[in-house]
């Protein structure tokens, strides 16, 4: 299967006769081949955040994505299940939860998430709602710590815990911590607590009812995974990349794409196609199915 440079060469060759349609033609060809190989409906959900202005809200999981999925699920043979290719920095918890609920209503529990490179934050929450996650050596998930007003909620709560511990140990540190904590709006702390609780409940429920459905120890497995993904001491930072080996260690049901050479080649070829499409910074997000139906959002300067 084509590598990064091969895909670029193929797009350039197609452009000689098809112009601006070349990227679409090449990308859709390989997405259809991936679906034919698995025998499953395949939907790609790609954000262009790696090559775009990060201040664009369209790059992140949001309620507008529901319209995109309503478009691309039309005509799906739902009994064949769904492979969702996910490349996203995350976004709104409510939007992610609503999207997961919608897909489960259509496909039941027969959903696999494929992570060619990165599915972070709310993207990790979506991945944890699947029956299994296909990852490679280059793939990563992230912590599920929600962001409140662009501040990591778990980080805020950890800072408050540290303040309490420091002041208890040395009362002279009260004034220092007063200045630091004074930057927080009174309602921010409560919002952070609720957001963290919400994220944990969402992921734990998804794991228990889908990934570990029928397992006698589903609750214990789910709690352990959620605790790791939401533990500030374990993950250290919102952008922490959690690789395939660590994902296996914490108990997630991971399928290693390298175990099927054809599957791996097809997934990575599709991934290269989408990254090429987004490298110029024009495309904010693409949601596309294996039959060539797409919902595209462009970056606006």
């Amino acid at each position: 299967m084509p590598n990064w440079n091969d895909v670029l060469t193929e797009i350039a060759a197609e452009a000689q006769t098809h112009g601006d349609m070349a990227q679409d033609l090449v990308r859709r060809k390989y997405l259809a081949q991936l679906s034919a190989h698995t025998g499953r409906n395949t939907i790609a959900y790609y954000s262009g955040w790696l090559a775009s202005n990060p201040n664009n809200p369209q790059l992140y999981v949001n309620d507008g994505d529901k319209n995109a999925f309503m478009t691309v699920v039309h005509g799906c043979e739902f009994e064949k299940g769904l492979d969702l290719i996910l490349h996203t920095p995350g976004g709104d918890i409510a939007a992610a939860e609503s999207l997961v609920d919608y897909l489960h209503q259509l496909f039941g529990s027969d959903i696999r998430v494929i992570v060619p490179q990165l599915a972070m934050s709310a993207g990790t929450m979506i991945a944890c709602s699947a029956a299994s996650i296909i990852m490679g050596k280059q793939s990563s998930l992230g912590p599920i710590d929600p962001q409140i007003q662009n501040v990591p909620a778990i980080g805020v709560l950890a800072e408050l815990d540290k303040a309490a511990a420091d002041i208890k140990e040395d009362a002279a540190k009260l004034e220092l911590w007063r200045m630091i904590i004074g930057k927080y709006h009174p309602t921010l702390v409560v919002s952070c607590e609720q957001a963290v609780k919400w994220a944990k409940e969402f992921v734990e429920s998804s794991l228990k009812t889908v990934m570990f459905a029928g397992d006698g120890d589903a609750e214990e497995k789910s709690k352990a995974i959620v605790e790791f993904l939401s533990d500030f001491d374990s993950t250290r930072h919102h952008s922490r990349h959690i690789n395939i080996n660590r994902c296996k260690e914490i108990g997630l049901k991971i399928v290693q794409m390298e175990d099927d050479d054809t599957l791996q080649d097809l997934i990575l070829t599709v991934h290269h196609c989408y990254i090429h499409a987004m490298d110029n910074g024009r495309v904010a997000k693409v949601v596309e199915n294996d039959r060539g139906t797409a919902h595209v959002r462009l970056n606006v300067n």
Side-chain angles (χ1 to χ4, degrees):
M1 283 291 163
N3 61 28
W4 173 273
N5 290 325
D6 293 335
V7 170
L8 198 56
T9 299
E10 185 175 352
I11 291 170
E14 285 286 348
Q16 298 297 315
T17 53
H18 294 100
D20 292 341
M21 291 295 295
Q23 283 190 337
D24 292 343
L25 292 170
V26 173
R27 185 179 70 249
R28 289 168 181 171
K29 178 182 77 172
Y30 288 115
L31 190 60
Q33 287 183 14
L34 174 59
S35 180
H37 175 71
T38 63
R40 297 168 63 81
N41 299 288
T42 306
I43 294 175
Y45 176 104
Y46 265 78
S47 166
W49 94 97
L50 295 178
S52 302
N53 182 342
N55 294 322
N56 181 0
Q58 294 303 326
L59 297 169
Y60 305 94
V61 177
N62 61 67
D63 280 324
D65 295 336
K66 179 72 71 67
N67 292 314
F69 275 88
M70 289 169 65
T71 299
V72 300
V73 299
H74 180 70
C76 281
E77 298 179 63
F78 298 119
E79 68 279 3
K80 290 185 176 181
L82 173 66
D83 283 347
L84 176 61
I85 309 173
L86 199 57
H87 183 70
T88 175
D92 185 65
I93 302 177
E97 186 178 48
S98 179
L99 183 58
V100 164
D101 175 69
Y102 177 61
L103 293 177
H104 281 307
Q105 288 190 59
L106 298 176
F107 297 96
S109 297
D110 192 8
I111 299 175
R112 298 190 302 187
V113 164
I114 301 172
V115 182
Q117 185 181 357
L118 295 167
M120 306 295 284
S121 192
T124 299
M125 297 180 197
I126 295 171
C128 288
S129 73
S132 61
I133 308 170
I134 299 177
M135 300 176 69
K137 294 176 181 178
Q138 75 289 339
S139 308
S140 296
L141 300 181
I144 59 170
D145 54 328
Q147 305 286 286
I148 304 296
Q149 300 173 20
N150 295 320
V151 175
I154 293 178
V156 171
L157 300 179
E159 189 168 45
L160 291 175
D161 287 342
K162 179 171 174 51
D166 282 358
I167 293 169
K168 183 177 180 180
E169 180 182 325
D170 183 359
K173 295 181 179 179
L174 174 62
E175 288 306 314
L176 173 62
W177 276 111
R178 193 195 303 277
M179 290 187 292
I180 295 172
I181 297 174
K183 65 187 177 184
Y184 296 141
H185 190 277
T187 61
L188 177 64
V189 176
V190 174
S191 295
C192 288
E193 289 175 340
Q194 293 301 316
V196 170
K197 183 178 180 181
W198 185 3
K200 288 182 176 182
E201 289 175 348
F202 168 33
V203 176
E204 186 175 336
S205 175
S206 295
L207 290 168
K208 284 193 295 187
T209 58
V210 180
M211 186 173 287
F212 301 123
D215 289 10
D217 54 353
E219 185 168 353
E220 291 77 9
K221 289 179 179 177
S222 302
K223 285 184 179 295
I225 290 168
V226 168
E227 283 308 307
F228 175 83
L229 292 176
S230 61
D231 179 26
F232 197 69
D233 287 336
S234 297
T235 58
R236 303 294 185 186
H237 196 274
H238 184 67
S239 63
R240 183 71 176 267
H241 291 21
I242 304 169
N243 67 24
I244 183 173
N245 293 330
R246 195 70 182 101
C247 288
K248 288 179 178 180
E249 288 172 6
I250 65 174
L252 287 167
K253 287 188 177 179
I254 304 297
V255 175
Q256 185 144 348
M257 67 176 70
E258 288 87 357
D259 291 342
D260 181 337
D261 289 341
T262 302
L263 179 65
Q264 178 190 26
D265 286 344
L266 284 167
I267 290 171
L268 294 182
T269 300
V270 167
H271 179 66
H272 297 330
C273 288
Y274 280 98
I275 297 301
H276 282 310
M278 294 175 167
D279 258 357
N280 60 16
R282 289 185 62 247
V283 178
K285 187 179 291 175
V286 179
V287 182
E288 187 167 33
N289 67 25
D290 55 86
R291 300 179 310 284
T293 302
H295 190 288
V296 181
R297 294 198 195 120
L298 299 179
N299 282 308
V300 179
N301 294 327

